[in-house]
């Protein structure tokens, strides 16, 4: 009887740079160790996987478009602490690069190459008026909590 592949699912709720760094470090590391990895992006976490990486008016309706603009996209992820008007993520990214540690963009690319599965939350997408086409093409599906619970069944689930 063949061994069943280990499974790790991560709920990526935060759109903070340091938490995205942690989520993709764990995801790419687990995938490199042959885990099945599922990333479920919800609310502020959706900012990480938007196709347009900077500030853009996305969605339908003034409030949704304005809120998505304020979030800023992957290029403007703040640190969860000590953000200093966006200066600290640049500093942290430069420190990582100087010490030959992958940054968020490199970890996302590694996760994609290692076959990590990306899913966007349907409920958060409805609230923010975002659709599948607003996300990077690696997002397999926009799913609800029921589908996510089926995906994570039998494995370990983390909330970041």
């Amino acid at each position: 009887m063949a061994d069943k592949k280990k499974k790790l699912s991560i709920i990526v709720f935060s759109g903070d740079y340091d938490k995205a760094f942690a989520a993709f470090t764990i995801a790419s590391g687990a995938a490199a160790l042959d885990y099945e990895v599922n990333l479920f992006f919800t609310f502020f976490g959706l900012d990480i996987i938007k196709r347009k990486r900077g500030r853009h008016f996305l969605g339908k309706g003034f409030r949704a478009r304005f809120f998505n603009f304020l979030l800023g996209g992957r290029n403007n992820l703040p640190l969860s602490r000590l953000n200093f008007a966006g200066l600290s993520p640049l500093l942290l990214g430069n420190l990582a690069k100087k010490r030959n540690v992958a940054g968020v963009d490199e970890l996302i690319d590694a996760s994609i190459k290692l076959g990590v599965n990306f899913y966007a939350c349907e409920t958060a997408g409805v609230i923010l008026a975002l659709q599948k086409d607003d996300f990077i093409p690696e997002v397999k599906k926009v799913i609800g909590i029921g589908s996510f619970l089926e995906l994570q069944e039998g494995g370990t689930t983390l909330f970041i």
Side-chain angles (χ1 to χ4, degrees), residues 106-128:
E106 290 86 9
L107 290 167
I108 291 172
D109 290 343
S111 295
I112 291 167
K113 288 177 184 166
L114 290 165
V116 170
N117 302 306
F118 290 55
Y119 298 96
C121 174
E122 182 178 40
T123 302
V126 168
I127 292 170
L128 297 173

Side-chain angles (χ1 to χ4, degrees), residues 49-159:
I49 56 168
K50 287 179 183 170
R51 185 182 303 264
K52 295 182 177 180
R53 298 174 49 147
R55 292 193 189 283
H56 290 279
F57 293 100
L58 297 174
K60 292 184 178 179
F62 173 76
R63 285 182 276 187
R65 293 174 61 79
F66 187 63
F67 193 75
N68 280 304
F69 177 81
L70 291 176
L71 287 173
R74 191 191 322 170
N75 288 348
N76 297 297
L77 300 177
L79 281 184
S80 61
R81 299 181 68 192
L82 307 172
N83 188 48
F84 297 116
L87 186 60
S88 293
L90 296 173
L91 181 62
L92 185 60
N94 285 336
L95 284 171
K97 188 173 185 177
K98 185 176 180 179
R99 293 183 169 98
N100 294 321
V101 176
V104 170
D105 287 337
E106 290 86 9
L107 290 167
I108 291 172
D109 290 343
S111 295
I112 291 167
K113 288 177 184 166
L114 290 165
V116 170
N117 302 306
F118 290 55
Y119 298 96
C121 174
E122 182 178 40
T123 302
V126 168
I127 292 170
L128 297 173
L130 297 172
Q131 300 179 349
K132 188 174 183 312
D133 290 343
D134 293 317
F135 302 117
I136 58 175
E138 288 78 13
V139 172
K140 286 187 166 185
K141 289 182 181 177
V142 177
I143 61 173
I145 191 62
S147 296
F148 174 71
L149 291 173
E150 288 177 16
L151 283 172
Q152 62 84 46
E153 192 171 311
T156 300
T157 302
L158 303 175
F159 183 89

Side-chain angles (χ1 to χ4, degrees), residues 2-8 30-31 33-37 114-115 154-155:
D3 290 331
K4 191 174 179 181
K5 197 171 189 175
K6 293 180 181 177
K7 186 187 305 185
L8 174 67
L33 294 172
D34 202 32
Y35 277 60
E36 175 188 331
V37 181
L114 290 165

